[in-house]
Every structure is written in C-alpha cells, then in structure tokens.
Amino acid sequence: MALLKLERFADAAHSCSQALAIDSTSVKALWRRGTAYYSLGQFAKAQHDFNCGLALEPTNTALLTELEKTKKALESATASKAQLPRSGSGIAAPIASSAPQPMSVPQSPQDFERAWREHASVPARLYEYLKMVPIVRLPSLFRASLESAHIADITNALEHGYQTHKDFDLVFKVLSALPSIDRFSLALLFTDDKVKERIHHLLKQLATEMDVDAALLTNKYS
C-alpha cells in the first residue's frame, strides 16, 4: 500500500507479483496490483486482476467498483485508438514501430516479459521465441503473471508451429508445462472457450502424430 501512496506504481505492481508468486489466491495483492496497473494505464491487465479477485470473492464491493471503473477506462482508450488518423488521410500517420530486437534467451522474468510484449502479436516470432526458451524455466519466468491473454498467444504460436513446421514436440512440451505455472487455473478460467477448443484440437493431433495419451492434458485444459 505504501508504494501506491507514493505513486510508485510500477514498483507496486512488481511487489504484488512477488506476493502472488507466494500466494496466488491473495485477493489483497490482486486488488493492489490491479490498482497499480490502472494507474499505469494498463487497463486490460488491471481488469484481469480485478476479475481474478472477484472469482475468489464474488461479493467484494471494492473489486466490483474498481472493475466497473476499469471497464469504462478500457472502452474509452479503445475508442480513442480507433479514431486515430490513418495513413493517406491527409494527416501525418504515426511513425511505424522499430524492427524487433534480436531474440535471446531471457536472463530474468523482466527480460522474458519485455520480449513477450515484443513478439506476442506475431505467432511466427513467438513460436521462434518459445523454441529458444528452456521449457522447464517457464514457471519461474512467468511466476504469478500468467494471464488468459498469454494462453491465447501461446495457442496462436503453437498452431503456427504445428501447421508450418509440424513441430509436435514443442506443442507437447509447452502444453505439458503450462499447468505447473502459478495461477494457471485462474488464467484458464478467463480463457475464451474457442481458445480452449483450439488447444483440445492440438492435443487430438498430438495423440495421433506422437502416439501419446493426451486425455490427462485435455482435462487440465477443460
């Protein structure tokens, strides 16, 4: 709370993530981190934390209030982006983002998070990044920050790996590792059913191509 009062919002979010790594069901830590994300303008992350808190305490009025405020802020931010001038409109278009940095094995969760933000929007790049990251390190790299958006991004990347490179091994290893990450169950709770269906389809393909029993894994993604 002291960090929030001092308006050190990034530090507050990091501190709460550390607390959630120890106790992923701490509603207080979810509320504080959501508040920090809101103050940083990261409304989607704030909404996710407030939703996770409400999944644990559905009648928490403070969380309900913050969630409604965050939804409005997110809608406003989305509407503002939609109104930005496009190239060819007679108004200077925004400068294109620079080319992605060369990939490297992350040395810390912070390195991992930065690289994830850079590559997640392009499934082919995220697939290459996942190939580079030691799968056994995923739990320590994600810590308590796994969200439904991560699961969707990973699904996109694994589908690319399967369809383009027939990389059944990576698909199996990543899908096997995710359930061991803190907050996996909570993140899966807010994952879109269509994403879950795509994961189930990947697991069915694995059962055929690798002759593995995917039933247990399928249950974990249900």
Side-chain angles (χ1 to χ4, degrees), residues 111-130:
D111 290 344
F112 181 68
E113 184 178 354
R114 282 192 294 270
W116 192 277
R117 287 198 301 267
E118 183 173 1
H119 303 306
S121 62
V122 182
R125 286 214 307 263
L126 186 57
Y127 162 73
E128 293 298 334
Y129 187 60
L130 285 172

Side-chain angles (χ1 to χ4, degrees), residues 8 11 24-25 35-36 49 53 86 117 124 132 139 169 172 177 200 204 209 219:
R8 291 170 54 186
D11 289 337
S24 62
T25 63
T35 301
D49 277 352
R86 297 181 178 179
R117 287 198 301 267
M132 180 178 295
D169 186 58
F172 180 71
H200 290 170
K204 286 181 181 178
E209 301 291 343
N219 289 337

Side-chain angles (χ1 to χ4, degrees), residues 91-158:
I91 303 175
I95 298 174
S97 59
S98 58
Q101 296 296 314
M103 295 183 188
S104 60
V105 177
Q107 301 303 310
S108 68
Q110 291 76 20
D111 290 344
F112 181 68
E113 184 178 354
R114 282 192 294 270
W116 192 277
R117 287 198 301 267
E118 183 173 1
H119 303 306
S121 62
V122 182
R125 286 214 307 263
L126 186 57
Y127 162 73
E128 293 298 334
Y129 187 60
L130 285 172
K131 282 178 60 181
M132 180 178 295
V133 176
I135 302 301
V136 294
R137 291 187 59 201
L138 284 180
S140 63
L141 290 170
F142 270 114
R143 299 184 299 182
S145 64
L146 185 69
E147 300 177 1
S148 57
H150 290 126
I151 295 178
D153 292 339
I154 290 170
T155 302
N156 293 336
L158 294 181

